[in-house]
Amino acid sequence: MSEVFEGYERQYCEASASLTRKCTAAAALQGEKLKQKAVEIKSGIDGAEALIRKMDLEARNLQPSIRAGLLAKIREYKSDLNNLKGALKRITSGNAQQGVREELLESGMADALGVSADQRSRLLRATERQNETTDRLRDSHRTMLETEDLGVSILHDLSQQRQSLLHAHRVLDDVDVNVDKSRRTIGGMVRRMDRKKWIIGLVIAALVLAILVILYFKFVH
């Protein structure tokens, strides 16, 4: 059912119950007080009639499967409103006779009160449906908040993991730099050792050559 229709229906049921009470009270009034109460009731009936027109317009814009049930409700509400109009008419016409008022109080208003009780019952059911809808919305909102908190927690964890990965990447970069430096240092040491080997080899060769020259001159002469 349309939430808009339910809103109009709830307002009408409240207005109908209020008008029934006012008609019951007006049946016991006389003179100027009765006139004032009749004007108040007439204004309330006009408002209730406007609500019925809104419900009718809303129902005719819905799907046919839903529309039929709502239009049946609207016919009941129109009948209820006609009963209220009749009650007001009986109160305001020939109201000087106490017997008329007593008849309205004891019998004429009984039907209206019966209809009002039925309307109140429907109002209670509509209120229960609204409460159930509110509870579902509250549960959905709570679930949404819990999901949001979980999402924030996951994002926080991912952010920490990202920071850890960035730190590890920086450490690896530093290790690469140190390895390059060590490689260059070792390369320099190897080159220096090679040069020293060549120098030592040349020195040894020079010594051997000198010894040979000395031996040559010694044995020849």
Side-chain angles (χ1 to χ4, degrees), residues 5-8 23 26 53 68 94 102 110 112 121-123 125 130 146 159 164 166-167 171 175 178 187 191 195 219:
F5 185 92
E6 287 184 350
Y8 292 148
C23 286
R53 286 195 298 270
E102 291 178 354
S121 176
R122 281 196 289 268
L123 175 60
R125 289 195 296 271
Q130 184 184 20
E146 291 174 354
S159 177
S164 298
L166 290 174
H167 177 70
V171 170
V175 170
N178 292 331
R191 286 191 296 272
R195 285 197 299 270
F219 289 106

Side-chain angles (χ1 to χ4, degrees), residues 8 39 43 46 50 59 65 71 76 83 94 97 109 111 166 172:
Y8 292 148
V39 170
S43 176
D46 291 340
S65 58
L71 291 177
E76 293 180 8
N83 289 337
Q97 299 181 7
M109 291 303 297
D111 294 337
L166 290 174
L172 289 175

Side-chain angles (χ1 to χ4, degrees), residues 2-70:
S2 167
E3 292 184 3
V4 176
F5 185 92
E6 287 184 350
Y8 292 148
E9 182 181 30
R10 185 166 56 254
Q11 293 178 45
Y12 174 80
C13 291
E14 293 173 353
S16 175
S18 176
L19 288 170
T20 300
R21 290 192 297 270
K22 289 178 180 179
C23 286
T24 303
L29 299 177
Q30 294 181 359
E32 190 63 28
K33 290 183 178 180
L34 175 60
K35 291 180 181 180
Q36 293 176 357
K37 181 62 71 174
V39 170
E40 183 180 348
I41 294 172
K42 179 62 171 60
S43 176
I45 289 175
D46 291 340
E49 204 164 21
L51 288 171
I52 288 179
R53 286 195 298 270
K54 291 179 180 179
M55 282 190 284
D56 185 73
L57 181 62
E58 180 66 21
R60 294 182 188 280
N61 290 327
L62 298 176
Q63 299 176 357
S65 58
I66 303 176
R67 184 191 310 157
L70 298 184

Side-chain angles (χ1 to χ4, degrees), residues 60 79 128 169 173 179 199 201 216:
R60 294 182 188 280
S79 176
E128 289 175 358
H169 183 69
D173 287 341
V179 168
I199 293 171
Y216 172 77

Side-chain angles (χ1 to χ4, degrees), residues 174-189:
D174 293 340
V175 170
D176 288 340
V177 171
N178 292 331
V179 168
D180 289 338
K181 289 181 178 178
S182 299
R183 187 182 295 113
R184 287 194 297 270
T185 302
I186 293 173
M189 292 173 64

Side-chain angles (χ1 to χ4, degrees), residues 20 31 35 46 60 75 100 112 118 131 133 153 170 184 211:
T20 300
K35 291 180 181 180
D46 291 340
R60 294 182 188 280
R75 285 193 292 273
V100 175
D118 184 58
N131 290 335
T133 301
S153 177
R170 287 194 295 269
R184 287 194 297 270
I211 292 171

